[in-house]
Amino acid sequence: MAKLGKILKIVLVVSILSVLALLAVNMIKQEHKELEALQKTDAFNQAYEISSDVRTHVPGESNGFSENGGLYSYSLYYIEKSGYLQITVRYNEKHMDDIKENYPTFDEDLIYYTLTDEKGNTYSPTIVDKASKYHYEYFKLEFTNVDFKDTSLKLNMVIDALSEVIGEKNSVVIHKAGQDSLPHEIK
């Protein structure tokens, strides 16, 4: 009888651990689905009227992660001829907790994004949508009048008053000059 109780206890513990492991894997793997798809904003519709050649590719050399892993970019769509770009970014709130620990006056409202190119141009986005899931913050950003010709584009997470400390670690190259892209079918 004691053996049966011990076996049941082991089976119960293994079952609970398996369920917890599956939940953890699901949380890690699942992106915020609503922000992955191309969103048809007014700016997108205007750009699409100029050219219907919507392109996509995987952002960045390291699959969209910044050097410190705090910023991740994905779901990039662009219309090169009309200078339109839409991208989803996310950051880990734990990364911000580390910053808050070292800089107690830090407030997440100080965060903003820019897009820069090798020619010295800086572009500011419109935030199309945003959401929170688990310990991540997601933003769908759109840029207009972007110069794609013969340049690389870098997405920067800028934190006012800390940018000199954070520097390049919160930036990721999302487009390289001449990078191959795939057509994106509009549904």
Side-chain angles (χ1 to χ4, degrees):
M1 190 64 134
K3 268 188 166 180
L4 181 60
K6 197 174 203 177
I7 290 172
L8 288 174
K9 190 184 259 184
I10 290 171
V11 168
L12 180 64
V13 168
V14 168
S15 297
I16 290 171
L17 290 176
S18 296
V19 167
L20 291 174
L22 285 172
L23 287 172
V25 167
N26 186 39
M27 284 178 16
I28 292 168
K29 286 176 54 177
Q30 188 174 11
E31 300 294 344
H32 203 285
K33 298 293 183 191
E34 294 82 33
L35 295 183
E36 285 184 15
L38 175 69
Q39 294 191 18
K40 296 177 185 171
T41 65
D42 289 341
F44 170 79
N45 291 333
Q46 290 171 359
Y48 192 74
E49 285 179 17
I50 295 169
S51 172
S52 61
D53 185 20
V54 180
R55 312 294 291 177
T56 186
H57 61 74
V58 175
E61 298 170 329
S62 58
N63 293 325
F65 282 99
S66 63
E67 182 183 325
N68 63 6
L71 179 66
Y72 176 61
S73 60
Y74 63 102
S75 295
L76 179 141
Y77 305 100
Y78 65 98
I79 303 173
E80 185 171 348
K81 187 174 181 179
S82 56
Y84 179 83
L85 171 69
Q86 191 177 109
I87 189 165
T88 302
V89 297
R90 106 176 164 209
Y91 70 82
N92 188 327
E93 289 174 353
K94 182 176 179 348
H95 176 68
M96 295 304 135
D97 290 343
D98 294 341
I99 293 173
K100 287 177 188 174
E101 187 176 303
N102 294 316
Y103 304 94
T105 60
F106 171 74
D107 182 343
E108 291 184 33
D109 290 336
L110 300 174
I111 298 171
Y112 63 95
Y113 298 92
T114 63
L115 185 70
T116 54
D117 65 22
E118 297 170 322
K119 297 175 184 176
N121 297 315
T122 299
Y123 308 93
S124 296
T126 299
I127 297 175
V128 175
D129 201 359
K130 61 183 177 177
S132 298
K133 184 170 184 180
Y134 304 116
H135 54 278
Y136 293 105
E137 293 293 325
Y138 294 83
F139 295 88
K140 176 66 94 174
L141 306 175
E142 114 183 312
F143 297 86
T144 56
N145 302 315
V146 176
D147 180 8
F148 288 92
K149 191 159 178 71
D150 301 324
T151 189
S152 295
L153 299 171
K154 183 186 291 186
L155 181 68
N156 310 288
M157 175 193 256
V158 181
I159 304 173
D160 277 347
L162 297 181
S163 56
E164 71 281 351
V165 178
I166 304 299
E168 291 291 308
K169 296 179 188 244
N170 277 326
S171 299
V172 61
V173 174
I174 61 168
H175 174 78
K176 289 194 148 270
Q179 182 170 8
D180 290 334
S181 63
L182 300 169
H184 177 73
E185 184 180 321
I186 301 298
K187 297 176 185 175

